[in-house]
Amino acid sequence: MWNIPAYTNTTSANNERLVNFILTIGLYLGAPLLIVLANVLATLLVAKEDNAQQMRQLQLLGLTKQQLLLTQQSHAVILVGVCLAVSLLAGGLVWSLTIHVGRTILYQAPISMAALLAGPFLMAVSMLCLLTIVNLARVYCGKCLTKA
């Protein structure tokens, strides 16, 4: 896949090596991301009932829907912050190794810091948006809450 015997400095050989490099990195990063996604979904399914019970208890204690939403959103912000920190640390390590290998093999690989930061921040923003939608639906349309 790396086309190691192609030692020519032609543009097509360099383009082919760059495409092979990007595909290889995509494969190496894609499989662990699928495993992480499966683990997150399994954890959410397990924690669903516990969260519903906590919401019922908070409503029975007299919290309004706005206060319930604020409580749920504070949990979401903490979760997104932890995930962002972990993804920046892990992503920074993986990308620094990738950059090192890319510059060693492809001497002039175009690499920017935006590529390092874009993934974790896009993940954090999309995660916060998704959790906000879920929290809004759970608080305002949830059937698990008792009538006050």
Side-chain angles (χ1 to χ4, degrees), residues 3 8-17:
N3 197 9
T8 60
N9 273 339
T10 62
T11 306
S12 63
N14 286 337
N15 287 342
E16 186 178 338
R17 282 191 288 185

Side-chain angles (χ1 to χ4, degrees), residues 6 21 53 58 108 120-121 128 148:
F21 174 73
Q53 173 110 14
L58 288 174
Q108 297 174 353
F121 280 106
L128 187 62

Side-chain angles (χ1 to χ4, degrees), residues 111-128:
I111 298 168
S112 67
M113 284 300 288
L116 170 65
L117 299 176
F121 280 106
L122 287 175
M123 182 200 69
V125 168
S126 62
M127 196 170 158
L128 187 62

Side-chain angles (χ1 to χ4, degrees), residues 14-30:
N14 286 337
N15 287 342
E16 186 178 338
R17 282 191 288 185
L18 181 62
V19 167
N20 287 337
F21 174 73
I22 291 171
L23 287 175
T24 303
I25 296 304
L27 289 174
Y28 278 115
L29 295 179

